[in-house]
Amino acid sequence: MPSSKQKLDTSHRTLVIVESPTKAKTISRFLGSSYIVEASFGHVRDLPKSKLGIDVDHDFSASYVTPVKAKPVIAQLKNYVKTSGDVILATDEDREGEAISWHLATALNLDPSNTKRIVFHEITKSAIEHALEHPRAIDMRLVDAQQARRILDRLVGYELSPFLWRKVRYGLSAGRVQSVAVRFIVEREREIEKFIQQEYWSIEGSFTRTSPATKPIHGHLVSYRGSSLDKMAIQTKERADDIVASLSANSYHIAAITTKTVARNPAAPFTTSTLQQEAARKFGFSASQTMVLAQQLYEGVELGGGGTQGLITYMRTDSVHLAPSAIESARAVIGSHFGPAYQLETPRAYSSKSKGAQEAHEAIRPTDIAKTPESLTAYLDRNQAKLYGLIWKRTIASQMQSASLEQKSIDIASTDRSAVFRANGQTVLFDGFMRAYTEGTDEDTAPDEEAAILPIDLTEGDSLVGSNIIGIQHFTTPPPRYTDATLIKTLETNGIGRPSTYAPTLTTIQNRGYVEKIDKKYQPTETGILVNDILVEHFPEIVDIGFTSTVEEELDNIAEGTLDRETVLRNFYTPFKKHLIEKEATVTKQTEESTTACPHCGNMMLIKFGRMGKFLACPEEGSKVTLPMPEEAAQIRQLEEKTKDERCPLCTKPMSVKRGRFGFFLGCTDYPNCRGISKIWNKIGFPCPACTIGELAEKKGRGRGKPFYGCTRYPDCMFVLNKKPESEQELHELYESWKANPPQPKKSRFPKKSTA
């Protein structure tokens, strides 16, 4: 946004308004001097935070306010509007973008029915020029659909959350989509807890033809004494040992060879959800991280002398369609990079499998498929390059020939026909799209059968020698916890949410403390389980999967003009409000009695929930006596013993163990007169050799790598070691090595703006 001192001179040029400054910068490259492109910096109006902001008695009319941070933006845009000719709103093409355009028109005192609105799926010169040639009015059906979603979420959040405050603890929240996501995670955790591990055994062996010799063929027992063996057929070691003993003396021959050729087709081009899933599988990206990177690639990246260019199409979409021009470009790239044999004679078309697919007109793809990942390496950071490469490969693969695979199955029978082993193998006859890309799999998805390649010169009746026939012990495993990929896939499959909601939903349930991500897998917290159980018991419609999916379909119908907004909101709110009033009167505060006597009144203390989790409270009305839970108290005692000699860094008085939002820490005993705090370090017993003031402590990085050892005075002291010293002598040697080559501060890829 220009400074207030900058002279506004639009000279009756056409004003184009987009959401972000990066997008504005990219678009301005394609437009001549008769246009000026400005950014609204996102939403310019929203519902108030301090109150409901919805008049439920008057057609659910919403009271929108302009956030403080948006007021100077609106003031500046109004000045541009006064001196400009036409005003064109060029926000994103989905419902939220349509709503932003409507809010902009209202805030700038423009007539929404007469204000020009353009949409484009990619930020390229041809797409922008085509959009400018075909402006339209703001689509109020899309605006109503977005407003209905926003109002529904506000009604649930602002009316159900206070209920949770009164019945559980202050600060909890409920959401129409987030509560269903938490339910999936809680129910999966309970499946894991109830899971009973079972033992089972498989019998496997190696078989070799001696003349002419072949490499060993590895098979597993599928039939024994006329009975087929399923996975759980052999459940004890004794049974497995008996079978192995009866087979060891047998000779074997090839009873049957089955060969078939199968075609494997490539996955469809990326939608929002499949991009988030694949980025999580292959790179470990969170859904929000993927969307941030995709937004950067969409809005534009500086390509040296080529200026800022948008590299991918719009990233919030559930369409798998590719434009004819993109298909033709992909065909040319496939021919030049992989050869004519990999080109399709006719383009491959895909259809969306997601419920209510409607958001946009095309899948996520490169804007210029001729721009290979290698050609952009110098202009993208590491993660941008990864994501662009993934999108490019998936797009290319979707228009390549199918792969051709030969699957072979060999049945190996004992001479007495008492046992049959089976060996499965697979050979790639033509790699097709696999030359460019293969889709990742989730950990709960069975991998493809990719056994060792079987010999091709075997024939039925060949004699084989069996060896190394053994029983192998296995145990059944519980269902896996959800990852970003599997949770998004589950939400999409059940019609919960839409492309723009997956990433914020996953972020919200973590920020609220309902779930935590451990080793990239979601686990519910105690608070999350409690809130879920209350909602399932007392408000089943809010967390009902079918109900939530139906609401999404109704929102789609509003966007299509077959339902009106007020009807959908009324049908939801009337029974919801009645139910809420009933439950307010019948549900009691969630507490339970502990086995700890209260030091104040002698009665058993109550277990209550606070922002930091469970705690003990005096049962007497008005009493403020509280204690930590016994297990937490034990942990505090251990930490107090460990840190008994610590002194306040500000006043040198003793420190005490305290618990905050992010765990335990040390606080000055003279609080609030002194506000000194310190981390609880895992010290290793050596003073820092670099500054001689701090001490060395074990630290952990953001990833899951090995711990390292650094000074407690970081960042004032930068001393760090990758190895734990075992003696003063070793520490001195490591220090001398570090001093000869100290670490350099990392350079930011976002240089400071010049003040000139």
Side-chain angles (χ1 to χ4, degrees):
M1 186 180 69
S3 67
S4 58
K5 295 181 180 180
Q6 182 176 340
K7 183 179 179 181
L8 293 174
D9 180 19
T10 59
S11 304
H12 298 284
R13 291 183 287 172
T14 297
L15 175 63
V16 179
I17 304 177
V18 298
E19 298 101 324
S20 78
T22 304
K23 190 175 178 181
K25 180 180 178 182
T26 304
I27 291 176
S28 64
R29 290 185 55 247
F30 307 130
L31 303 179
S33 58
S34 58
Y35 291 89
I36 181 169
V37 186
E38 289 296 321
S40 69
F41 292 83
H43 287 274
V44 295
R45 295 201 312 166
D46 199 3
L47 295 171
K49 291 185 177 181
S50 58
K51 59 181 180 179
L52 181 64
I54 309 295
D55 190 343
V56 297
D57 296 321
H58 295 87
D59 296 329
F60 296 91
S61 59
S63 300
Y64 292 105
V65 298
T66 301
V68 174
K69 67 177 183 179
K71 288 182 178 180
V73 177
I74 290 298
Q76 193 70 56
L77 290 176
K78 282 183 176 179
N79 290 334
Y80 278 117
V81 170
K82 289 177 184 177
T83 57
S84 298
D86 281 345
V87 177
I88 298 176
L89 304 177
T91 52
D92 290 340
E93 64 174 332
D94 58 7
R95 295 174 190 170
E96 189 162 351
E98 203 74 22
I100 291 176
S101 282
W102 177 73
H103 283 300
L104 275 168
T106 306
L108 298 176
N109 301 319
L110 302 172
D111 183 356
S113 61
N114 292 327
T115 303
K116 291 181 179 180
R117 164 89 167 108
I118 63 172
V119 294
F120 38 84
H121 191 63
E122 60 186 55
I123 305 179
T124 59
K125 183 176 177 62
S126 59
I128 300 302
E129 290 175 345
H130 181 270
L132 289 171
E133 292 170 1
H134 301 86
R136 60 168 173 80
I138 294 173
D139 190 336
M140 290 306 299
R141 298 174 304 174
L142 299 181
V143 174
D144 284 346
Q146 194 278 338
Q147 285 193 89
R149 176 186 292 280
R150 186 75 180 92
I151 291 170
L152 277 174
D153 292 342
R154 173 55 68 100
L155 290 172
V156 172
Y158 271 55
E159 299 223 355
L160 191 52
S161 296
F163 172 85
L164 295 175
W165 301 350
R166 290 185 288 272
K167 305 304 179 183
V168 186
R169 71 162 175 84
Y170 181 79
L172 297 177
S173 74
R176 191 177 54 85
V177 175
Q178 76 178 50
S179 297
V180 179
V182 173
R183 180 177 184 176
F184 281 129
I185 296 169
V186 171
E187 290 182 349
R188 176 59 57 87
E189 194 68 23
R190 286 190 168 135
E191 288 179 41
I192 295 172
E193 291 172 355
K194 292 177 182 177
F195 177 79
I196 299 175
Q197 188 180 71
Q198 289 183 278
E199 177 186 9
Y200 67 98
W201 290 72
S202 64
I203 310 298
E204 302 184 15
S206 297
F207 304 88
T208 309
R209 188 179 64 187
T210 56
S211 180
T214 62
K215 293 197 302 184
I217 304 168
H218 301 283
H220 62 281
L221 188 66
V222 294
S223 175
Y224 183 66
R225 292 182 178 173
S227 298
S228 296
L229 302 179
D230 60 19
K231 176 181 175 181
M232 304 298 296
I234 307 172
Q235 297 187 348
T236 65
K237 182 179 187 300
E238 291 73 21
R239 172 67 171 155
D241 288 344
D242 289 344
I243 295 174
V244 170
S246 70
L247 297 177
S248 298
N250 261 299
S251 58
Y252 297 87
H253 67 277
I254 296 177
I257 298 177
T258 304
T259 302
K260 64 177 180 179
T261 301
V262 297
R264 181 184 294 178
N265 296 320
F270 279 129
T271 62
T272 302
S273 70
T274 55
L275 177 63
Q276 292 171 347
Q277 292 171 48
E278 194 71 344
R281 294 182 191 117
K282 295 203 168 181
F283 308 133
F285 291 170
S286 67
S288 57
Q289 183 181 7
T290 298
M291 294 312 291
V292 167
L293 293 168
Q295 184 89 29
Q296 294 167 355
L297 295 175
Y298 166 70
E299 292 187 342
V301 176
E302 186 70 34
L303 301 183
T308 305
Q309 297 182 27
L311 297 179
I312 65 169
T313 54
Y314 191 54
M315 65 286 163
R316 292 186 182 91
T317 174
D318 47 22
S319 171
V320 290
H321 169 69
L322 289 178
S325 59
I327 292 175
E328 189 59 35
S329 177
R331 177 178 171 81
V333 171
I334 291 166
S336 62
H337 281 68
F338 304 102
Y342 292 86
Q343 292 176 316
L344 292 172
E345 293 183 8
T346 57
R348 183 182 285 110
Y350 296 88
S351 59
S352 178
K353 296 180 181 179
S354 65
K355 290 186 177 182
Q358 44 72 39
E359 283 291 348
H361 305 294
E362 196 176 356
I364 304 170
R365 61 164 176 84
T367 55
D368 183 359
I369 298 177
K371 286 187 172 70
T372 64
E374 294 75 19
S375 68
L376 298 175
T377 301
Y379 309 108
L380 305 178
D381 68 27
R382 182 183 177 187
N383 289 339
Q384 287 175 337
K386 283 182 177 180
L387 196 66
Y388 180 82
L390 192 66
I391 295 169
W392 186 90
K393 290 175 183 176
R394 177 92 162 212
T395 305
I396 287 291
S398 72
Q399 293 302 314
M400 292 177 72
Q401 286 283 2
S402 300
S404 179
L405 309 173
E406 182 185 77
Q407 294 180 348
K408 182 181 289 186
S409 176
I410 300 178
D411 284 357
I412 302 166
S414 60
T415 303
D416 61 5
R417 293 283 180 175
S418 64
V420 176
F421 287 81
R422 181 164 295 156
N424 294 313
Q426 180 172 278
T427 303
V428 177
L429 303 177
F430 176 64
D431 55 3
F433 74 91
M434 295 167 60
R435 175 103 177 261
Y437 167 86
T438 53
E439 188 176 21
T441 58
D442 299 314
E443 55 187 13
D444 60 343
T445 302
D448 293 332
E449 292 185 2
E450 294 183 352
I453 298 174
L454 299 177
I456 62 174
D457 58 344
L458 296 174
T459 58
E460 292 184 10
D462 283 354
S463 296
L464 302 175
V465 175
S467 63
N468 198 30
I469 297 177
I470 58 173
I472 298 179
Q473 186 183 39
H474 308 275
F475 293 95
T476 54
T477 57
R481 293 185 173 95
Y482 285 108
T483 62
D484 274 50
T486 55
L487 185 54
I488 291 171
K489 186 176 182 179
T490 300
L491 291 172
E492 182 186 35
T493 301
N494 288 279
I496 309 299
R498 284 297 181 259
S500 61
T501 65
Y502 301 132
T505 296
L506 268 56
T507 300
T508 298
I509 62 178
Q510 292 178 79
N511 291 343
R512 295 292 185 187
Y514 295 158
V515 303
E516 54 187 356
K517 198 186 284 189
I518 301 174
D519 290 335
K520 299 187 177 179
K521 297 180 179 68
Y522 287 101
Q523 295 185 37
T525 62
E526 200 169 40
T527 302
I529 293 172
L530 177 65
V531 171
N532 174 75
D533 290 349
I534 290 176
L535 294 179
V536 169
E537 180 181 357
H538 301 293
F539 297 92
E541 71 279 8
I542 296 298
V543 290
D544 179 74
I545 297 167
F547 173 79
T548 307
S549 177
T550 299
V551 171
E552 294 292 353
E553 292 173 5
E554 291 178 340
L555 294 175
D556 293 342
N557 292 335
I558 295 173
E560 294 165 3
T562 58
L563 263 181
D564 65 275
R565 185 186 72 177
E566 288 73 24
T567 298
V568 172
L569 294 173
R570 183 71 61 193
N571 290 342
F572 169 84
Y573 184 72
T574 301
F576 167 71
K577 184 65 175 179
K578 180 182 178 182
H579 193 184
L580 184 62
I581 293 172
E582 293 173 354
K583 292 297 179 180
E584 190 71 58
T586 58
V587 179
T588 58
K589 179 83 172 179
Q590 299 295 302
T591 59
E592 59 180 292
E593 192 175 90
S594 73
T595 57
T596 302
C598 177
H600 169 67
C601 67
N603 295 320
M604 291 297 112
M605 302 188 80
L606 298 178
I607 300 175
K608 292 187 176 182
F609 291 85
R611 294 184 63 188
M612 308 304 172
K614 289 182 178 180
F615 66 95
L616 300 177
C618 176
E620 282 193 359
E621 188 72 27
S623 173
K624 295 185 178 181
V625 175
T626 62
L627 291 175
M629 295 292 289
E631 56 271 20
E632 183 181 326
Q635 187 178 3
I636 291 173
R637 286 194 295 271
Q638 291 178 351
L639 293 174
E640 286 176 340
E641 178 63 26
K642 177 181 177 180
T643 60
K644 61 184 178 181
D645 296 327
E646 295 287 343
R647 296 290 170 175
C648 176
L650 300 183
C651 69
T652 71
K653 290 182 179 179
M655 304 281 275
S656 62
V657 176
K658 299 182 182 294
R659 186 179 181 185
R661 180 181 175 188
F662 302 106
F664 294 103
F665 67 97
L666 294 178
C668 184
T669 52
D670 195 27
Y671 179 86
N673 296 323
C674 177
R675 295 179 178 269
I677 61 172
S678 174
K679 288 183 180 180
I680 298 178
W681 297 102
N682 186 17
K683 297 178 181 178
I684 62 174
F686 294 104
C688 175
C691 67
T692 69
I693 301 173
E695 296 182 62
L696 296 186
E698 180 181 306
K699 300 184 179 183
K700 292 183 179 180
R702 293 182 180 179
R704 291 182 290 171
K706 295 180 179 179
F708 64 95
Y709 308 90
C711 182
T712 54
R713 293 184 62 247
Y714 176 88
D716 294 328
C717 177
M718 301 289 289
F719 181 69
V720 65
L721 296 173
N722 291 325
K723 178 184 178 183
K724 181 179 179 180
E726 301 296 336
S727 64
E728 290 281 358
Q729 176 63 30
E730 184 179 8
L731 174 61
H732 176 73
E733 293 172 358
L734 292 171
Y735 171 61
E736 291 298 325
S737 176
W738 174 87
K739 192 165 58 173
N741 188 24
Q744 299 298 318
K746 290 184 178 180
K747 292 183 178 180
S748 171
R749 64 184 186 87
F750 302 106
K752 292 183 179 180
K753 294 182 179 180
S754 172
T755 56

